[in-house]
Amino acid sequence: MKINSLHIKVSLSVATMALLVVAVSAQFFYQRDYKTSFAESERSVLQLLETVQATAAIAAYVGNRELAQQVVTGLTQNDIVIGAKIFAGKEIIGQNGKTSREIKQELISISLVAPFDDKEVVGELAVVPNAALIAARARDSAMSTALGLAAQSGLVALLVLIMVYWLMTRPLSRLSGSLHRITPGDGGRLDVNRIHRGDEIGLLAGDINALLHTVEKMLEEERQLRHRVEQLETRFRGIFEDSSAGIFLVREQGRLVTANPAFFRLTGIDETEQQPRGNTDLISQVFLDGDQAKSLIKLALVSKRPHSADLRIRSDIEDTLRWVHCIFSPAGDSTTVEGVMYDVTQRKHSEARIRELAETDSLTGLRNRQAADAALQALISQTPIGNKAFAVMLIDLDRFKYINDTYGHDAGDKVLITVAERLRNLVRESDLVARMGGDEFFIILNHAGNIGIVTRIAQKILDAQQAPIEVQQGVQEKIGISVGIALYPEHGDNPLSLRKHADQAMYAVKRRGKNSFAIYEPGAEDPLMESA
């Protein structure tokens, strides 16, 4: 029989618990019976003393030593007394056996009263009990009780083991053997003895049979599901191969795992050459924005969520930029992502054209107010406060209304176009020239926070506008300009304050006679410093 069988485990458990119960119970009953037997022996000694109390009282009352000696001699003849003495007052008038000093044991004593006056104490009767005999008797009595209890407990434990074996472990062992012989799907079931059909073993066998039925049903469903999955795999493989979107699996390090034909068509990679080169960094090979693509891959792996962006890819045609919208999603493990890319080149070109039209003045080709505001805000965001990094100029044309009213709108348009061309030619490519509307222009001089540099540029702009403009055939007119200048961050740390202070400087020029420029100067009585 195996040591790890259920019957052995149950037998060992019951035996262990029985031994524990016997040990605890035997100890408890042994201590209790020992104390009880010892107390009964002491009561016997007291009863013995009470038997001779009257005789000893007479001996002590009359001082009769012979009578007292007879009493103590009679007491010591009892096996539970090994010494006795009678006191008359403080004098010993009778003594026999061992004394308490010899065996270092306490005496058991009773008082002796006068025969005719029970309130008068005439002496004391004291005995030395045979403690060793009393203790031995108490131990024998307690031991017999404990052994009887242990025998009863052992017998009960044995009967319990037999009942457990026949009613539980043996049927369970047979049930386990029958279950091991059944293969799921073969239709086999457990048979239960009619004795156990209404108890827990019968219920267990019924549940196991129900579970076997469920397992067989699940296996059949799994076979059907596997067949459907194979059909779906065939269908999805066709979608994967025929999709117009590029689909691919790539490792975090950029190594290609697999891809569909559309991916190779979009990227221009030769499918037959790429597949064996498993260590190639696909991301750097395909994307111009390789660092951004790798960041999206890491983000998808860390967050366990898809992340997407419009990315540029390399093209076989020179000077041709191709864009794809790429979605990176975690593919199940911690190092692989699934990528899906769509060609959005046409959309990006359309968006760029729409953005250009939205930010460009249709007449002059300069940036419009919206583009100028956005550029100014971006420049402020990128420039740390404390550095005189750039300046803004607000320009208004003098005599424009006169020319427009006198010669017509075509002449006015020609003036605006000419002024715009002159302004564009006088600043650097890093600077911005915009038409804010009407005859008002706006210039951002990047990296020109020095007043001397700004003054020289403003003077060049004024000088350039002195050349006449042909407004009609054979008719030329001169146009003047008023320029207001504000420096960042000295005159403002936000777009609104910079434009406001440049506007104040420009109108101050107009009040002083036009065709000049002025730099805003805060704190002065006339808050403007004018130059010409």
Side-chain angles (χ1 to χ4, degrees):
M1 187 175 292
K2 295 182 179 179
I3 191 65
N4 58 352
S5 67
L6 180 62
H7 175 61
I8 296 300
K9 290 180 179 179
V10 172
S11 300
L12 290 176
S13 299
V14 172
T16 301
M17 293 302 298
L19 288 175
L20 181 62
V21 170
V22 167
V24 174
S25 301
Q27 179 67 19
F28 171 77
F29 286 107
Y30 177 86
Q31 295 293 335
R32 190 194 67 175
D33 287 356
Y34 179 84
K35 292 179 181 179
T36 301
S37 298
F38 201 90
E40 288 179 353
S41 297
E42 288 184 343
R43 283 196 298 272
S44 298
V45 172
L46 287 174
Q47 290 174 355
L48 183 63
L49 292 178
E50 290 173 354
T51 302
V52 298
Q53 182 180 18
T55 305
I58 294 173
Y61 181 75
V62 299
N64 189 333
R65 293 180 177 272
E66 293 180 1
L67 180 60
Q69 190 64 36
Q70 290 178 1
V71 171
V72 295
T73 302
L75 287 174
T76 55
Q77 290 178 353
N78 196 303
D79 57 358
I80 61 174
V81 176
I82 59 174
K85 63 176 69 175
I86 296 177
F87 292 89
K90 294 184 178 180
E91 180 183 2
I92 298 175
I93 61 174
Q95 178 175 350
N96 191 36
K98 298 181 179 179
T99 64
S100 60
R101 290 184 179 180
E102 294 177 358
I103 60 175
K104 298 179 181 181
Q105 185 176 322
E106 294 183 359
L107 298 173
I108 297 177
S109 62
I110 58 174
S111 299
L112 302 176
V113 298
F116 308 107
D117 186 359
D118 57 1
K119 293 182 179 180
E120 180 184 357
V121 177
V122 295
E124 181 182 12
L125 173 60
V127 298
V128 179
N130 190 346
L133 179 62
I134 294 173
R137 289 178 177 178
R139 282 196 299 271
D140 292 343
S141 176
M143 184 60 69
S144 63
T145 301
L147 290 176
L149 178 63
Q152 292 178 3
S153 299
L155 181 60
V156 171
L158 180 61
L159 292 175
V160 168
L161 285 176
I162 294 173
M163 295 300 294
V164 167
Y165 174 74
W166 282 102
L167 295 178
M168 187 174 70
T169 57
R170 186 167 176 268
L172 286 176
S173 298
R174 290 184 175 180
L175 199 65
S176 174
S178 299
L179 182 60
H180 286 155
R181 289 189 293 271
I182 295 175
T183 301
D186 64 1
R189 295 293 184 269
L190 295 177
D191 293 327
V192 183
N193 193 307
R194 62 176 178 270
I195 298 176
H196 297 291
R197 286 179 182 174
D199 59 16
E200 288 79 358
I201 294 177
L203 292 175
L204 176 62
D207 291 341
I208 293 175
N209 287 334
L211 181 61
L212 289 172
H213 175 74
T214 303
V215 169
E216 289 181 355
K217 185 177 178 181
M218 290 176 63
L219 289 175
E220 179 61 28
E221 292 176 351
E222 183 182 353
R223 282 192 287 268
Q224 296 177 2
L225 179 61
R226 189 180 301 114
H227 178 66
R228 289 198 296 269
V229 168
E230 291 173 355
Q231 292 179 331
L232 289 174
E233 283 182 353
T234 303
R235 187 179 305 171
F236 286 133
R237 172 57 62 178
I239 295 173
F240 177 78
E241 296 291 342
D242 300 334
S243 174
S244 60
I247 304 172
F248 59 97
L249 286 178
V250 66
R251 300 289 186 193
E252 183 179 3
Q253 300 80 7
R255 182 169 60 86
L256 179 66
V257 179
T258 186
N260 69 345
F263 170 81
F264 294 106
R265 287 196 301 270
L266 285 171
T267 59
I269 298 175
D270 188 339
E271 182 176 0
T272 58
E273 293 182 1
Q274 176 66 21
Q275 290 291 4
R277 293 158 54 191
N279 294 324
T280 301
D281 185 355
L282 175 76
I283 302 303
S284 300
Q285 181 180 355
V286 171
F287 295 97
L288 289 172
D289 306 308
D291 291 339
Q292 184 181 359
K294 290 179 180 179
S295 297
L296 289 172
I297 290 174
K298 290 182 180 179
L299 194 58
L301 290 173
V302 172
S303 65
K304 307 297 183 184
R305 295 177 57 189
H307 291 272
S308 61
D310 291 340
L311 303 173
R312 298 173 299 165
I313 63 173
R314 303 183 187 278
S315 175
D316 295 335
I317 305 174
E318 292 186 7
D319 300 327
T320 300
L321 188 61
R322 297 189 65 188
W323 286 85
V324 292
H325 181 73
C326 203
I327 305 171
F328 294 103
S329 307
D333 59 40
S334 60
T335 61
T336 305
V337 295
E338 175 188 354
V340 180
M341 60 168 58
Y342 304 90
D343 191 343
V344 293
T345 304
Q346 187 61 42
R347 190 199 77 191
K348 297 295 286 188
H349 288 168
S350 299
E351 290 175 353
R353 179 59 180 163
I354 292 171
R355 186 164 50 251
E356 182 180 355
L357 292 174
E359 296 180 351
T360 303
D361 179 60
S362 59
L363 176 64
T364 62
L366 299 177
R367 297 289 185 90
N368 59 15
R369 176 185 288 272
Q370 179 182 349
D373 289 343
L376 182 58
Q377 180 63 58
L379 190 58
I380 290 175
S381 300
Q382 297 167 5
T383 304
I385 291 183
N387 295 340
K388 292 184 179 180
F390 64 89
V392 298
M393 290 183 176
L394 193 60
I395 299 172
D396 189 78
L397 302 186
D398 302 330
R399 297 185 71 246
F400 176 76
K401 187 176 184 303
Y402 166 77
I403 294 174
N404 198 55
D405 293 344
T406 303
Y407 300 105
H409 293 296
D410 290 341
D413 291 346
K414 187 176 293 187
V415 169
L416 292 173
I417 293 171
T418 303
V419 171
E421 184 66 25
R422 290 174 178 175
L423 292 176
R424 192 157 39 206
N425 292 334
L426 290 170
V427 298
R428 299 161 298 181
E429 290 185 4
S430 60
D431 299 329
L432 179 137
V433 182
R435 181 188 173 203
M436 304 297 281
D439 61 342
E440 191 174 85
F441 294 85
F442 186 75
I443 298 177
I444 300 177
L445 298 176
N446 198 8
H447 304 297
N450 182 274
I451 292 180
I453 296 175
V454 175
T455 301
R456 287 195 297 272
I457 295 174
Q459 190 61 54
K460 287 171 59 179
I461 292 173
L462 285 174
D463 294 343
Q465 301 306 327
Q466 299 306 311
I469 300 173
E470 187 177 9
V471 295
Q472 286 183 354
Q473 188 174 1
V475 179
Q476 292 186 338
E477 290 284 350
K478 285 188 176 183
I479 194 80
I481 61 173
S482 298
V483 183
I485 304 171
L487 306 178
Y488 173 86
E490 183 179 350
H491 301 151
D493 60 0
N494 60 77
L496 182 62
S497 61
L498 284 173
R499 285 200 305 270
K500 176 183 176 182
H501 294 153
D503 187 68
Q504 290 177 0
M506 181 193 71
Y507 277 103
V509 172
K510 286 187 175 294
R511 290 194 301 270
R512 297 180 183 183
K514 303 181 180 179
N515 200 32
S516 184
F517 69 88
I519 300 175
Y520 177 77
E521 184 178 4
E525 189 172 318
D526 182 359
L528 299 168
M529 179 181 71
E530 185 178 351
S531 300

